[in-house]
Amino acid sequence: MSIDGIMAVLVHGAWADESSWSKALKLIQSNGIKAVTIKLPLSSLGDDTAALDKVLEQVAGPVVLVGHAYAGAVIASTQSTKVQALVYIAALAPDEGETVADVFYRYEHDDKAPKLAPDSDGWIWLPVEAFGTAFAQHATPQEQQALAKAQRPISPACITVPVGQPLWKRIPAWYLIAEQDHMIPERTQRFMAERMRAHISAHPVDHLPSVTAPELVAAVIVDAVKQSKN
């Protein structure tokens, strides 16, 4: 049985898919919380928000939305009144009028950050080697290979469009800062988390703690759900 009927909806970011949540999902559910993952097309911020809204329409009760990386912009773009709280896992949180790219490049990246550019078809892929050096350096080699094989590219239309008023200005937010993240600098994450006045936890984890530190991710989500029941 779920806690007071609140459901956690887990939203993947760029270069990942629903499987990136599998470890954390089991831990969340073991705490008596109903949780699901959704798939984003990653074709535009509007398309992704529409995909999320379609799922939320099918949910009967209140929801806590969880976003990783780019999905932070998606979960804050919905206008669904079912959403009680937002959880950011090393996620991007542009303010009104900003783009995802604006906050992604707010502060300088370190030398392990990969070079990103659209391919001939207009999609941005993560270089395969980056899964082991910047995206999930704490994962096992087997996990890194699986992540690279399952990666889903993102369109520039996701990251170059200014967002409207984000939902985090109206409801509570939680933020897990990944201190060893080579994709989104820790300084950038802390800036966004403090700007939204989130409940902040910081840990020496990589960009994909749902795979490499699922217990920490689950703990933040469980806390958000339990506090939202009031």
Side-chain angles (χ1 to χ4, degrees):
M1 180 177 294
S2 61
I3 296 177
D4 282 1
I6 298 177
M7 175 183 286
V9 178
L10 315 182
V11 190
H12 67 81
W15 311 303
D17 67 2
E18 294 172 272
S19 67
S20 63
W21 292 112
S22 59
K23 293 181 183 179
L25 184 68
K26 292 178 182 178
L27 292 170
I28 296 163
Q29 292 171 335
S30 72
N31 278 271
I33 296 171
K34 191 173 182 180
V36 297
T37 62
I38 75 165
K39 181 179 180 180
L40 296 180
L42 301 176
S43 50
S44 73
L45 181 58
D47 290 347
D48 294 333
T49 304
L52 173 58
D53 285 341
K54 187 173 182 180
V55 171
L56 295 179
E57 288 172 3
Q58 300 170 15
V59 178
V63 169
V64 168
L65 287 181
V66 185
H68 171 249
Y70 158 70
V74 180
I75 64 173
S77 294
T78 182
Q79 300 301 312
S80 174
T81 57
K82 296 175 183 177
V83 183
Q84 304 297 300
L86 302 174
V87 180
Y88 291 76
I89 307 299
L92 293 159
D95 200 349
E96 186 172 6
E98 294 178 337
T99 69
V100 172
D102 287 337
V103 285
F104 183 74
Y105 290 110
R106 181 177 181 88
Y107 296 115
E108 185 176 359
H109 290 65
D110 62 30
D111 57 5
K112 292 185 179 179
K115 302 296 183 183
L116 301 171
D119 65 10
S120 58
D121 294 319
W123 293 92
I124 304 171
W125 295 82
L126 191 69
V128 172
E129 62 274 12
F131 285 91
T133 58
F135 196 79
Q137 69 269 22
H138 295 169
T140 66
Q142 292 77 15
E143 288 172 331
Q144 291 165 1
Q145 291 172 9
L147 288 165
K149 186 176 181 179
Q151 77 157 301
R152 303 187 64 248
I154 187 170
S155 167
C158 296
I159 62 175
T160 56
V161 177
V163 304
Q165 185 181 72
L167 194 55
W168 52 258
K169 289 196 169 183
R170 306 194 297 277
I171 65 173
W174 276 253
Y175 199 111
L176 188 155
I177 295 174
E179 297 174 327
Q180 297 179 3
D181 193 332
H182 298 301
M183 297 296 298
I184 304 173
E186 177 190 359
R187 184 182 179 189
T188 301
Q189 294 182 43
R190 192 168 294 278
F191 163 78
M192 294 183 293
E194 291 176 350
R195 179 170 67 174
M196 72 172 75
R197 299 180 180 178
H199 302 267
I200 298 172
S201 60
H203 301 281
V205 296
D206 61 21
H207 182 63
L208 199 62
S210 59
V211 170
T212 59
E215 297 85 359
L216 296 176
V217 171
V220 173
I221 298 169
V222 170
D223 182 52
V225 170
K226 288 183 175 179
Q227 292 200 44
S228 297
K229 70 181 181 179
N230 300 320

